[in-house]
Amino acid sequence: IQSQLYAGAVVNAAKERAHSEVDAYHQSHPLKPGMPRGLLRAAIRPPAIADAVQGMLRDEATFVIEGETVRLASFESKLSDEQGAEADALRSALREAGNQGRTVTELESVGQGAREIAEFLVRVGEAKRIGADRYYDTSEFERLKNDIVSEIARVGGVATPAQLREKTGLSRKFLIPALEWLDGEGVTAREGDGRRLGPNQG
């Protein structure tokens, strides 16, 4: 590998720098799942061994690499006491929103760290993000999904937008993004203007 061309002291210094950079990122972004690997690559010197150094630290069980994100094996994303209180407020807001969900802008009335905390709730399975910035309580969105699936099953083929709006009580503003997300998950499939059951409708 490329790192074999460099002295051990250089490689060790690069590993120490990588560890320090990731640790600092965790301190600054405690709710993020990890540091973007591209950002870490830019910080490691010499750049030619950046990927090899990350791989070595992974093999040593110091780093965990998931896709383009890297974190310390000892790191666990968690809420501070203040963030925990804000997360509770966001949870309540999402439950109250029901099958309409809330945008980041709407959630910012609850707290200024709304997006970061909402994304944390998504990662731990308590919320779902549909589209760019609309969040739902996971249980509420599951109910919406079940309503849509049951209506399609009831009609025995393709449910029209009007039928789905009547079933869910949602306007197109809320219904269409939810349907597009369900299409992407294979729960539903578009046919004309309507929806039929997809391969993963269970």
Side-chain angles (χ1 to χ4, degrees), residues 37 49-61 63 65:
R37 292 189 67 189
I49 64 171
D51 284 332
V53 164
Q54 292 185 48
M56 284 187 283
L57 289 167
R58 176 197 58 210
D59 294 343
E60 294 169 8
F63 278 4
I65 297 175

Side-chain angles (χ1 to χ4, degrees), residues 58-132:
R58 176 197 58 210
D59 294 343
E60 294 169 8
T62 300
F63 278 4
V64 175
I65 297 175
E66 296 172 333
E68 280 301 304
T69 300
V70 58
R71 62 178 169 83
L72 296 180
S74 59
F75 173 72
E76 180 182 358
S77 180
K78 59 184 178 181
L79 299 164
S80 67
D81 290 344
E82 182 179 349
Q83 290 168 329
E86 188 171 334
D88 286 341
L90 258 64
R91 291 184 184 100
S92 295
L94 292 178
R95 285 194 295 268
E96 291 169 5
N99 65 4
Q100 293 187 2
R102 288 288 181 266
T103 64
V104 169
T105 300
E106 291 167 338
L107 290 174
E108 282 175 349
S109 64
V110 177
Q112 291 305 305
R115 181 183 289 277
E116 190 173 22
I117 293 176
E119 284 296 319
F120 174 83
L121 295 178
V122 170
R123 288 196 298 276
V124 298
E126 295 183 36
K128 285 190 179 294
R129 174 167 48 81
I130 307 303

Side-chain angles (χ1 to χ4, degrees), residues 130 141 144 148 152 159-161 164-165 174-185 187-190 193-195:
I130 307 303
F141 190 81
L144 173 58
I148 291 169
I152 296 172
T160 66
L164 294 174
R165 288 199 300 272
F174 299 104
L175 179 62
I176 297 305
L179 289 174
E180 290 175 345
W181 189 89
L182 292 171
D183 291 346
E185 294 295 302
V187 176
T188 57
R190 184 169 182 171
D193 289 333
R195 292 303 193 284

